Amino acid sequence: MKKFGYPNSCLKELSHWVVLLRPQQVTLGSLVLICREEATAFSQISAEAFTELPKIIREIETSVSRTFTYSKINYLMLMMVDPEVHFHVIPRYDTPRLFSQQQFLDHGWPGPPLLKNSNDISEEVYQNIFSHLKNSWIREFEN
């Protein structure tokens, strides 16, 4: 989790899952969904973690959709470099998005996301994305 900026990048924590804003914004609002358990295969996570997964996915999709109005959303479980169970959550956009005075492209649309082609952003823009998503989460799920 630290590789992805935890705890500073943490948008939401549940008992078994944590959602972080990805440091590299492949597309606007790219996240990482990480299982908190020490598992290196999806089949190794607990029944409780599987039970909690639909809840956090609903929260992700609701918050990111309301904040950035994506066209589709992709969940990539690659686990090649980082063996812990995690998903890269990539909102997909059929047109460029403007946020915080910066244009965000989805370089792979309509094909698979291109993880190596992230949108270059400043720390200020990263913090703006984080704040907007965090506030959306709070308004929707914590009131």
Side-chain angles (χ1 to χ4, degrees), residues 9-121:
S9 62
C10 184
L11 291 162
K12 180 73 177 197
E13 290 189 74
L14 296 177
S15 299
H16 301 280
W17 297 92
V18 62
V19 180
L20 307 177
L21 182 63
R22 247 178 142 265
Q24 299 80 27
Q25 289 290 286
V26 175
T27 62
L28 179 60
S30 294
L31 309 173
V32 183
L33 173 60
I34 304 173
C35 185
R36 300 171 72 111
E37 299 175 348
E38 293 194 24
T40 55
F42 197 36
S43 62
Q44 294 174 351
I45 70 172
S46 68
E48 294 80 13
F50 274 113
T51 299
E52 196 174 69
L53 192 54
K55 174 186 178 1
I56 195 62
I57 288 173
R58 273 191 296 280
E59 289 190 21
I60 287 169
E61 291 181 5
T62 300
S63 295
V64 178
S65 178
R66 288 197 177 168
T67 306
F68 300 123
T69 318
Y70 61 78
S71 303
K72 291 189 176 277
I73 194 162
N74 294 158
Y75 293 85
L76 307 175
M77 180 184 271
L78 304 171
M79 296 170 35
M80 297 300 289
V81 175
D82 304 300
E84 296 79 16
V85 173
H86 69 285
F87 296 88
H88 294 269
V89 182
I90 312 296
R92 305 303 308 276
Y93 302 95
D94 58 355
T95 59
R97 293 295 193 265
L98 187 63
F99 177 79
S100 198
Q101 301 178 359
Q102 179 166 340
Q103 180 173 278
F104 286 81
L105 302 174
D106 184 338
H107 297 283
W109 182 269
L114 301 176
L115 297 179
K116 293 189 179 204
N117 288 16
S118 358
N119 292 275
D120 290 328
I121 60 171

